[in-house]
């Protein structure tokens, strides 16, 4: 006579050993079709978008570079920083010095902006190894004020309160400052910047994606998830944190150089704490520890400010002039940033990228999944 208890145990073992049904993977030709359509949209966009939307696109792509850098530090390594604007400022003033004062080509001053910002990040990362969590945030918060003081008083380089003009990228006789012909097509300044920034962003995103898959990238995530356990596994915590700081700083410097060059004129007060908070908001809303989330969050938040500026005239609670009552456009932008941050932190901590992954998984598991697999 069989033992009922034994039978139950056998059924439980069989159930646990059964393969888990996973959603079918997308077939190769559908992946290629998706990426082909996305590439077509990205390439056509600057020719069909109006001036405002094209400017938003350029700023969004530039901001995405800085957001990628901060996501390496905050998202993948778990090191909170409010000093990202400081590294953008370093990149911006490298563009002024090497591109403006020395007249070098952008092929030199863009990499140099990243290199010098990376060296500063190496020093700061080494000095902040003993700090964690809230204390590290406070230390990086100080960078915003220290950087602001340096930028304001280094007048020979920054121009002080008055600011300074930033050169446009040049390559021989070709300049990104004005409209010019590229083959049979006349490209405006914004269109040329768009096609300059787009491949830089693509290459840096590919670089970060590959870094995350390496041993160093896995060490980033191990430090983020369980620092003590990572150390017990033999991971060099100090080295990992410093590398994360350096990578984040390099991308921040490149972002700052492109950002300043596109603006064409910068003042020290632009590299402030508010700018750092905007980058934190980009990766929280787009998706922490997500490359696509960094890009989506940067483009979305970049679009909010100019859209609010253009809608200010029809919003009843926004000031139409001095003494007219209501809140200012700048205050409204800050309120919207705060609302977005609060909503995503409370209801969707994984950001837009997390929403996409969840919806995609449900669709693939549904009866319509065969059409997307």
């Amino acid at each position: 006579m069989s033992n009922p208890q034994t039978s139950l145990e056998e059924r439980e073992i069989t159930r646990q050993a059964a393969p888990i049904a996973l959603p079918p993977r997308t077939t190769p030709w559908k992946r290629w079709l998706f990426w082909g359509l996305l590439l077509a949209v990205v390439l056509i966009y600057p020719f069909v978008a109006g001036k405002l939307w094209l400017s938003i696109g350029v700023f969004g792509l530039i901001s995405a570079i800085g957001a990628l850098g901060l996501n390496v530090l905050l998202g993948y390594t778990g090191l909170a920083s409010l000093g990202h604007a400081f590294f953008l400022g370093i990149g911006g003033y490298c563009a002024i010095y090497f591109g403006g004062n020395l007249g070098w080509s952008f092929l030199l001053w863009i990499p140099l902006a990243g290199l010098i910002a990376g060296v500063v990040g190496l020093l700061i990362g080494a000095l902040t190894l003993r700090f964690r969590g809230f204390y590290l945030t406070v230390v990086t918060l100080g960078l915003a004020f220290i950087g602001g003081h340096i930028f304001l008083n280094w007048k020979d380089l920054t121009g002080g309160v008055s600011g300074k003009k930033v050169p446009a990228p040049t390559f021989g006789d070709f300049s990104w400052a004005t409209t010019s012909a590229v083959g049979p097509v006349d490209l405006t300044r914004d269109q040329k910047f768009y096609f300059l920034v787009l491949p830089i962003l693509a290459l840096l995103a590919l670089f970060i994606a590959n870094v995350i898959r390496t041993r160093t990238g896995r060490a980033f995530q191990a430090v983020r998830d369980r620092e003590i356990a990572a150390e017990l596994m033999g991971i060099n915590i100090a080295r990992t944190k410093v590398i994360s700081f350096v990578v984040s700083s390099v991308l921040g410097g490149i972002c700052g150089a492109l950002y300043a060059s596109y603006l064409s004129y910068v003042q020290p007060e632009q590299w402030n704490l508010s700018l750092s908070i905007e980058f934190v908001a980009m990766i929280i809303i787009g998706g922490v520890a997500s490359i696509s989330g960094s890009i989506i969050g940067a483009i979305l938040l970049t679009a909010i400010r100019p859209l609010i500026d253009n809608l200010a005239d029809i919003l009843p609670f926004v000031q139409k002039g001095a003494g007219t009552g209501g809140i200012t456009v700048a205050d409204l932008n800050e309120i919207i940033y705060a609302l977005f941050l609060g909503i995503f932190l409370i209801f969707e901590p994984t950001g837009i990228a997390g929403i996409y992954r969840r919806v995609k998984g449900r669709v693939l598991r549904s009866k319509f999944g065969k059409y997307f697999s």
Side-chain angles (χ1 to χ4, degrees), residues 100-119:
N101 297 359
L102 300 183
W104 292 0
S105 168
F106 78 97
L107 295 175
L108 292 174
W109 58 254
I110 289 180
L112 277 172
L115 177 62
I116 293 174
V119 171

